[in-house]
Amino acid sequence: ASSISKSQVDKIIKKYLNEHNLTNKITFKGQLCSDNCSKGPVIQIGDTEYFEIDEQKLKRILHENFA
């Protein structure tokens, strides 16, 4: 699987939150890679960090955490 850009990650997350009526329930914000830039893209949900995100992995993570 190939890595995706930050803008692609943002777009997928925003679309997911909108489609599942979560935009008013979830705080979504960007931040620096916090010493994990070499493992990026990185997302964090609560205290859990996910590394080397691709589109399929991101969609699975969102589904597992918010479905």
Side-chain angles (χ1 to χ4, degrees), residues 50-65:
Y50 301 90
F51 304 102
E52 300 174 350
I53 300 300
D54 62 33
E55 186 172 351
Q56 291 306 110
K57 191 173 184 179
L58 177 57
K59 289 178 179 179
R60 186 182 76 245
I61 291 165
L62 292 171
H63 180 75
E64 289 172 355
N65 283 275

Side-chain angles (χ1 to χ4, degrees), residues 6 10 28-45 49-51:
K6 180 191 177 303
D10 290 353
F28 172 60
K29 64 180 181 171
Q31 71 178 46
L32 299 176
C33 48
S34 305
D35 298 326
N36 288 308
C37 298
S38 66
K39 300 177 191 173
V42 178
I43 64 167
Q44 181 176 339
I45 299 174
E49 291 183 318
Y50 301 90
F51 304 102

